[in-house]
Amino acid sequence: MPKLRLTEQQQREKALERAMARARVDMGLRKDVEVCDYLQIPKSTFSRYQQDPYKGFGFEAVAQLIRRMGFTTEEVCEIFGLPYDPARREQSCA
């Protein structure tokens, strides 16, 4: 059976999952409860974010998550579906 291709949104969600997993390992946050405590959000809110990241998060929540979890520039670009080019650091990423 051929492997199904992910849609652009699915690719971005996968990038968010990878970035979260890396940040959790780097910060030693093994359990969801530890992540919730660190981000200072209720477990129910975090669960909703996990179920459907692009509907659950608002812009401010995403910005706070990115800052607090220490996502890299490359991860942020991948999550938002933008090309990453370190040579264009001073230019717009769009």
Side-chain angles (χ1 to χ4, degrees):
M1 179 178 257
K3 187 175 180 180
L4 298 176
R5 290 184 179 240
L6 298 176
T7 66
E8 284 186 36
Q9 180 172 332
Q10 289 171 326
Q11 289 173 351
R12 291 189 305 266
E13 289 173 351
K14 200 63 115 172
L16 176 60
E17 289 177 33
R18 282 192 304 271
M20 282 293 295
R22 185 213 38 88
R24 288 174 73 153
V25 168
D26 288 352
M27 300 172 108
L29 304 172
R30 295 181 185 203
K31 299 178 182 176
D32 286 349
V33 173
E34 294 172 326
V35 174
C36 294
D37 289 343
Y38 181 77
L39 296 174
Q40 300 174 349
I41 58 174
K43 175 80 170 99
S44 59
T45 302
F46 187 71
S47 295
R48 189 176 73 242
Y49 289 169
Q50 287 180 311
Q51 288 173 1
D52 196 352
Y54 281 86
K55 287 185 181 176
F57 284 103
F59 181 77
E60 181 58 34
V62 170
Q64 183 180 32
L65 176 75
I66 287 168
R67 285 190 302 269
R68 293 192 61 126
M69 296 300 285
F71 290 179
T72 66
T73 307
E74 188 172 0
E75 290 169 336
V76 172
C77 287
E78 189 176 6
I79 290 165
F80 287 105
L82 300 170
Y84 174 72
D85 183 3
R88 294 184 57 185
R89 190 175 209 150
E90 299 300 320
Q91 300 173 6
S92 169
C93 58

